[in-house]
């Protein structure tokens, strides 16, 4: 089983960039598919991006495609979400999740392991 800790959020102006990190502790990092999700104020959690084992099964929701990049680093046991050209609509609490089955995807129920969220606020 793994434990996740997300960090790197903050306040940024529209058009700016942030790098979110999800530090993963426990065994089997390479066996998990990881996903980034976000929950805007008053809305449901939505899948933003996921990355499978061996960097396969990379997915992006349409609204961030071309602006966000997900990656994973086995040596650091960390999953990253590089966010560029941020928009006010990206404001949300961002969460990372881990799926041991490898399926991943954008349904939060597929991920049994979660870290605490990190707040991203984009000012327009």
């Amino acid at each position: 089983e793994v434990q996740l800790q997300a960090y790197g959020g903050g306040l940024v102006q529209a058009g700016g960039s942030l790098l979110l990190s999800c530090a993963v502790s426990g065994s089997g990092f390479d066996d998990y598919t990881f996903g980034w999700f976000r929950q805007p104020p008053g809305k449901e959690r939505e899948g933003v991006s996921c990355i499978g084992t061996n960097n396969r099964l990379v997915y992006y929701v349409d609204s961030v495609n071309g602006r966000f990049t997900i990656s994973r680093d086995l040596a650091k046991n960390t999953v990253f979400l590089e966010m560029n050209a941020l928009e006010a609509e990206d404001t949300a609490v961002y969460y990372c999740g881990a799926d041991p089955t490898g399926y991943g995807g954008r349904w939060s129920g597929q991920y049994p392991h979660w870290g605490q969220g990190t707040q991203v606020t984009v000012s327009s």
Side-chain angles (χ1 to χ4, degrees):
E1 188 168 315
V2 294
Q3 294 78 43
L4 312 175
Q5 183 172 5
Y7 57 96
L11 173 64
V12 63
Q13 289 187 334
S17 300
L18 282 174
L19 177 65
L20 301 185
S21 301
C22 178
V24 181
S25 59
S27 62
F29 175 87
D30 216 26
D31 298 328
Y32 286 79
T33 289
F34 294 97
W36 282 101
F37 290 74
R38 64 186 180 186
Q39 188 163 11
K43 296 185 179 180
E44 295 185 353
R45 190 173 299 190
E46 68 166 350
V48 174
S49 183
C50 75
I51 186 168
T53 59
N54 296 318
N55 293 318
R56 297 177 300 179
L57 297 177
V58 175
Y59 157 85
Y60 297 98
V61 69
D62 287 346
S63 60
V64 309
N65 199 14
R67 300 188 297 121
F68 291 10
T69 302
I70 191 171
S71 61
R72 58 193 292 165
D73 188 327
L74 176 60
K76 297 180 180 179
N77 271 21
T78 302
V79 183
F80 301 98
L81 186 67
E82 180 180 356
M83 305 188 297
N84 298 312
L86 283 162
E87 304 169 352
E89 292 73 21
D90 296 317
T91 294
V93 178
Y94 283 71
Y95 300 87
C96 57
D99 168 25
T101 71
Y103 183 78
R106 57 182 177 179
W107 179 50
S108 61
Q110 185 65 34
Y111 299 78
H113 308 294
W114 292 93
Q116 88 294 348
T118 184
Q119 176 71 48
V120 172
T121 303
V122 184
S123 62
S124 56

